[in-house]
Amino acid sequence: MELYRLSRLQARDSQSVSGSSLASMPSPGCLISVLRRECHQDLQAIFLDDPDAGPCRSFSSGDEFRFRPGDHCPADFCPRLWAAICTTISQTSCEPSFKEETMVISCPDGTRPVIVRIDINNDNNF
């Protein structure tokens, strides 16, 4: 069985999620804060085409993004992280017993995940 490189999977995944929107996001929106960028060099050496890729270059710790319901993935935003955010927000909206206003998630990149905090804003000061 041939091992597929993550860069090829990422290209395929980015095409399928770029149209996702935050339609199910509670009003008025959310704040996404980048808490940390991880780098697992041992896994990168095995699975990436570029074993010295290092941490994700799309984000830096401390970056913040504000999104409103109906927003689509910005052109410069990682589509895999966007899909994870949309999925998390969608799941919380579908579960009436789930009232979290702050969640911590990571993107699905196992060799260099970006860990973000999602703050659902329930007031009008967004």
Side-chain angles (χ1 to χ4, degrees):
M1 182 172 155
E2 181 181 340
L3 285 177
Y4 290 95
R5 297 289 183 185
L6 288 179
S7 59
R8 291 185 195 114
L9 292 174
Q10 288 171 341
R12 184 197 71 209
D13 289 347
S14 67
Q15 294 170 358
S16 63
V17 299
S18 59
S20 299
S21 74
L22 296 174
S24 61
M25 181 192 302
S27 182
C30 70
L31 172 68
I32 309 297
S33 305
V34 177
L35 298 177
R36 183 181 305 167
R37 298 178 314 150
E38 298 287 327
C39 180
H40 304 292
Q41 293 177 334
D42 57 331
L43 296 175
Q44 286 183 351
I46 297 168
F47 295 108
L48 292 185
D49 290 335
D50 179 5
D52 298 319
C56 176
R57 293 184 280 269
S58 298
F59 302 100
S60 297
S61 296
D63 285 351
E64 290 187 341
F65 306 90
R66 296 182 192 285
F67 297 110
R68 296 187 178 277
D71 283 351
H72 289 274
C73 184
D76 58 345
F77 202 89
C78 173
R80 295 180 77 203
L81 179 57
W82 182 263
I85 292 167
C86 289
T87 299
T88 300
I89 291 173
S90 176
Q91 288 173 347
T92 61
S93 298
C94 293
E95 297 179 33
S97 62
F98 192 84
K99 300 294 182 200
E100 292 292 324
E101 293 182 4
T102 300
M103 295 153 283
V104 175
I105 66 165
S106 68
C107 76
D109 186 336
T111 67
R112 52 184 173 194
V114 174
I115 301 167
V116 299
R117 175 180 168 159
I118 302 172
D119 290 302
I120 305 287
N121 191 315
N122 291 321
D123 61 27
N124 293 322
N125 297 322
F126 201 77

